[in-house]
């Protein structure tokens, strides 16, 4: 708890934090003449706005178990604080925004100074704290991680950041889930990037947060203002401040003391006491008083934070000035504002920082160095040891059991595999946590949920069951349930996966998160998926059902681009198996892959097999005939690496059909139809275009760097294909997914797939319409590998 003695130290540190952040930005100014100038500038004013709040938090309020998402543009303040705490190097500070330097936006994966949650795409870090709090509750409710104290999940939120819809989706979900231990601290500087925000937003926020069960603490007036309000005439001043429009207040902050005086005298100067209150202050004192909003006042902030002792989620609305303490303070254009060298010089001199001593940690501060260092050594936040945790890997069975029916879909297979896992009670089954945005039952998670129950901190019975009304699903909530049921918000799904998927490093307890959603709605949560991957969260997500195979559902539910998302998204390995035995192999691999972490990703293996990652399964509801075959180790490896020959092409092959996913029967049929008229036709089953492609790219790069023997899986497979042979590729998704196969060994290729929004119809109608049925495959083969007419080719409509 703060004492009076520590206030001067905190005040000195606040000055130093702001100085170091500004100096760091100034150093990155070599970029100022480039397009990057605006972006560098974005840090300056935006950082200054949070300098006081972050000083109060990091040097006094926070405890080691607390976790923070810092507003993206406050990155320099964060790095400056870590620098003072001895956790950031001067080299990285100097290289801010440069190669291997401190990151422009706090990054868990790229920064080295203990970033809890990455930020950058505004709104996401905010939601991440909410779901991390839920994750903490989940972990503790299951009896894990209790050797550590509970942490608060804290977001430092820009006021304009609250325009992002995902924050509201999260708020609603948080209310449903009984959110606790979450602080959102709003930097209410009333400025966004472009301009000044709307009047009176704080009132909307206040109502909104209260509606969702939060405490709301408004930190509006600093201690100087509070003292002035107690003077005769103070009430008038307060009333004036309360009714002053945001843009005017900002403009006056920018204009300074004499402008304040003129304005105040014009508007309330003839009202007796208040005139004296104004007159007795110099211009500088008047400016200091008017700029002394709560968010820049250590005593006001410390009081607010230390008084928030309940575990109820709490929103602090802290009034601040964007650019506080700097010459651009308050100006509506300040987001891009950079200080000129002359301004920096003036600022340096005012801070008593000697030239050449800009990086010195205690230079020019009014408190003795020893005292400052002793204080920093005792800062509660850093006295708990290593904050970035780890957890042992959970053993994954080599084979996942599943009973394969003669005809089956991959989605049913997925449900059955989880159901089988759910029978067990070992650690593996216990650590799986499933989640879905209102499509639990329709993505076949029902049997798993029946076995493992739904999670809630408080027990909630299934009323239908209690009333003895028959129902297929047991919908009972309890603290040891293993399914988190979400409302329909795919953005929330991916942030929940991000939070659950970081539990090993945040809570020191490993979870194996599995999420499901309809494949097209990946696009709905795409930035969140990207965010989760950027933070290196580990999870499995099944996009199911997918494609136009979802025939009767029409274009709004049919995914086209998702296979390309799966390929292009870093941090996630995408698979699209056709058969359930393949899926079982892939899931066993995935549960282990999700847990790997092997330091730097090597150039030799771009498949991330050492470093691990998340996994995306694109599944289907289409039941297809399943192969009866023994699963050999070779086949397993091929499935995981991305492809295998279902039928190896002969030495004289003219055609190879390469397919992925639910379209397998059409590919097989097409091969049968052309067998009489084309020699030695091959059939390549692609289980992961993503891994296949990544391996190929890596092998090429490796060869260019001198590893002449580097060979990727697809190169080895296509060695079996004679040079004159043509490829026809096909999938229920965008044709570009497999089109690159032709470039591997220089084979002609024709790629079939879906390019336009789907529509309703029977499967046969749609496959024919989009040209991915057997006949279209044969027609493509005939066109690309001319020869005698293929007899079974029907005339195309
Ligand atoms: C999703 C997303 N859209 C746009 C941006 C660009 N951007 C960065 S900061 C910002 C405005 C921030 O305003 P506020 O949150 O109030 O912070 P302040 O600059 O006032 O500190 C915008 C639009 C972004 N980072 N992320
Ligand atoms: Mg703002």
């Amino acid at each position: 708890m703060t004492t009076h003695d520590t206030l001067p130290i905190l005040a000195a540190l606040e000055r130093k934090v702001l100085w170091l952040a500004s100096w760091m930005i100034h150093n990155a100014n070599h970029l100022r003449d480039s397009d990057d100038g605006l972006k560098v500038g974005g840090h300056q004013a935006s950082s200054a706005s949070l300098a006081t709040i972050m000083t109060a938090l990091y040097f006094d309020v926070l405890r080691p178990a607390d976790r923070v998402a810092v507003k993206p543009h406050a990155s320099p303040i964060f790095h400056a604080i870590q620098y003072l705490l001895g956790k950031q190097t001067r080299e990285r500070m100097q290289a801010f925004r440069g190669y291997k330097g401190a990151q422009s936006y706090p990054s868990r994966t790229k920064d080295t100074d203990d970033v809890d949650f990455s930020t950058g795409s505004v709104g996401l870090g905010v939601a991440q704290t909410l779901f991390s709090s839920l994750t903490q509750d989940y972990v503790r409710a299951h009896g894990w991680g209790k050797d550590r104290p509970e942490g608060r999940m804290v977001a430092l939120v820009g006021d304009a950041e609250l325009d992002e819809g995902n924050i509201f989706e999260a708020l609603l979900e948080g209310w449903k889930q009984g959110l606790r231990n979450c602080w959102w601290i709003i930097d209410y500087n009333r400025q966004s990037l472009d301009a000044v925000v709307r009047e009176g937003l704080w009132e909307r926020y206040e109502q909104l947060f209260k509606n969702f069960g939060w405490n709301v603490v408004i930190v509006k007036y600093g201690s100087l203002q509070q003292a002035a309000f107690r003077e005769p005439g103070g009430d008038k001043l307060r009333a004036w401040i309360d009714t002053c429009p945001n843009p005017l207040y900002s403009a006056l902050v920018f204009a300074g003391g004499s402008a304040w005086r003129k304005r105040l005298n014009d508007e309330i100067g003839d009202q007796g006491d208040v005139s004296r209150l104004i007159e007795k202050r110099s211009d500088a004192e008047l400016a200091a008083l008017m700029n002394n909003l709560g968010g820049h006042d250590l005593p006001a902030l410390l009081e607010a934070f230390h008084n928030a002792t309940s575990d109820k989620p709490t929103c602090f609305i802290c009034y601040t000035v964007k650019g506080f303490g700097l010459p651009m303070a308050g100006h509506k254009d300040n987001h891009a504002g950079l200080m000129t060298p002359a301004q920096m010089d003036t600022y340096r001199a005012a801070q008593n920082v000697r030239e050449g001593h800009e990086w010195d940690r205690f230079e020019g501060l009014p408190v003795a160095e020893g005292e400052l260092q002793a204080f920093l050594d005792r800062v509660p936040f850093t006295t708990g040891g290593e904050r970035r945790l780890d957890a042992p890997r959970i053993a994954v069975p080599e084979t996942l059991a599943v009973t394969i029916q003669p005809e089956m879909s991959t989605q049913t297979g997925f449900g059955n595999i989880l159901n089988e896992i759910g029978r067990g009670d070992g650690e593996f089954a216990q650590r799986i946590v499933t989640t879905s945005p209102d499509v639990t039952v329709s993505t076949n998670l029902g049997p798993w949920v029946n076995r493992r129950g739904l999670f809630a901190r408080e027990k909630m019975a299934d009323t239908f069951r209690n009333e003895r009304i028959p129902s297929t699903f047991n919908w009972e909530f309890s603290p040891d349930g293993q399914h988190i049921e979400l409302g329909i918000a795919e953005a929330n799904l991916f942030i929940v996966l991000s939070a659950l998927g970081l539990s090993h490093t945040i809570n020191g307890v490993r979870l194996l998160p599995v999420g499901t959603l309809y494949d097209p709605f990946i696009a709905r949560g795409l930035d969140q998926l990207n965010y989760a991957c950027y933070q290196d969260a580990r999870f499995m997500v099944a996009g199911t059902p997918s494609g136009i195979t979802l025939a009767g559902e029409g274009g709004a539910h049919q995914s086209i681009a998702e296979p390309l998302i799966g390929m292009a998204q870093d941090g996630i390995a995408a698979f699209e198996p056709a058969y359930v035995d393949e899926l079982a192999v892939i899931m066993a691999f995935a549960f282990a892959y999700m847990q790997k972490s092997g330091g730097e990703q090597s150039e030799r293996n771009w498949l991330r097999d050492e470093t691990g990652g998340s996994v995306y399964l694109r599944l289907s509801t289409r039941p297809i005939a399943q192969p009866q075959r023994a699963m050999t180790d070779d086949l397993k490896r091929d499935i995981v690496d991305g492809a295998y020959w279902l039928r190896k092409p002969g030495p004289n092959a003219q055609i190879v059909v390469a397919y992925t996913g639910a379209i397998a029967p059409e590919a097989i049929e097409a091969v049968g139809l052309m067998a009489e008229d084309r020699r030695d036709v091959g059939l390549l089953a692609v289980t992961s275009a993503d891994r296949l492609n990544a391996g190929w790219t890596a092998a090429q790069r490796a060869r260019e760097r001198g590893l002449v023997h580097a060979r990727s899986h697809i190169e080895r497979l296509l060695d079996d294909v004679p040079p004159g042979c043509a490829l026809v590729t096909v999938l229920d998704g965008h044709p570009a997914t497999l089109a690159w196969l032709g470039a591997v060994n220089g084979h002609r290729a024709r790629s079939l797939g879906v390019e336009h929004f789907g529509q309703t119809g029977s499967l046969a109608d749609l496959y024919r319409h989009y040209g991915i049925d057997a006949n279209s495959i044969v027609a493509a083969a005939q066109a690309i590998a001319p020869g005698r007419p293929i007899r079974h080719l029907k005339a195309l409509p």
Side-chain angles (χ1 to χ4, degrees), residues 270-284:
D270 55 353
Q271 300 186 17
D273 290 339
V274 73
S275 309
R276 269 188 297 285
L277 190 157
I278 297 166
E279 286 321 317
K280 77 180 197 198
R281 288 170 164 85
S282 68
D283 279 0

Side-chain angles (χ1 to χ4, degrees), residues 99 152 154 164 221 259 296 304 321 341 355 456 536 574 601 603 661 694 702 706 754 770:
Y99 187 57
R152 291 166 294 197
V154 182
E164 288 289 2
Y221 315 107
H296 293 297
V321 173
E355 230 172 305
D536 202 20
Q601 182 173 302
E603 281 283 339
V754 185
Y770 291 95

Side-chain angles (χ1 to χ4, degrees), residues 387-467:
R387 294 182 68 258
R388 188 158 287 205
L389 309 174
D390 201 1
R393 294 186 193 171
I394 308 299
V396 178
E398 197 140 303
T399 339
L400 296 179
V402 56
T403 309
I404 299 179
Q405 309 295 335
E407 285 225 333
M408 204 172 181
S409 72
T410 46
Q411 182 179 306
T412 307
F414 172 77
N416 289 5
I417 290 169
L418 274 171
N419 185 33
E420 288 301 326
I421 295 174
R423 287 178 197 277
D425 211 30
E427 206 177 19
F428 173 57
Q430 283 165 11
R431 293 304 175 99
I432 290 177
V433 46
T434 56
T435 178
S436 184
D438 205 24
V439 290
T440 299
V441 173
S442 51
T443 56
N444 277 45
L445 277 181
W448 158 268
V449 175
N450 268 345
R451 290 192 189 283
R452 314 299 294 200
L454 292 117
F455 171 72
R457 267 191 310 113
E458 312 283 339
K459 227 175 164 51
M460 269 185 286
D462 182 341
T463 311
F464 274 66
R465 177 175 256 222
N466 288 0
E467 297 296 321

Side-chain angles (χ1 to χ4, degrees), residues 42 46 49 71-73 120-122 157-161 164 187 189 191-193 322 335 527:
S46 188
S49 187
K71 180 185 81 168
H73 276 116
S121 178
V122 295
V157 190
D159 45 1
E161 199 168 359
E164 288 289 2
D187 174 9
N189 60 22
Q191 283 189 255
S192 61
L193 193 160
K322 188 161 168 173
H335 194 83
D527 197 24

Side-chain angles (χ1 to χ4, degrees), residues 407-413 519 543-551 558-559 563 575-580 582-583 586 616-627 644 646 657-670 683-689 729-734 737-738 752-754 763-764 766-767 772-774 777:
E407 285 225 333
M408 204 172 181
S409 72
T410 46
Q411 182 179 306
T412 307
D519 198 52
T544 186
S546 60
I548 58 167
T549 303
L550 203 46
Q558 296 163 343
S559 60
F575 292 88
E576 185 166 355
Y579 300 116
V580 174
E582 296 170 356
L583 177 65
I586 291 166
Y616 159 38
L617 309 173
R618 188 172 189 249
L619 306 181
S620 172
T621 39
R622 181 186 188 192
I624 61 174
Q626 300 289 312
Y644 63 93
L646 207 53
V657 175
Y659 76 90
T660 204
I663 204 82
E666 279 62 33
I668 293 170
E669 189 190 343
L683 183 59
L684 186 69
V686 177
T687 45
S688 172
T729 70
V730 59
L731 79 153
D732 181 359
H734 198 277
T737 311
L738 294 177
L752 307 178
V754 185
L763 204 65
L766 295 197
Y767 281 4
I772 55 173
D773 62 338
I777 298 172

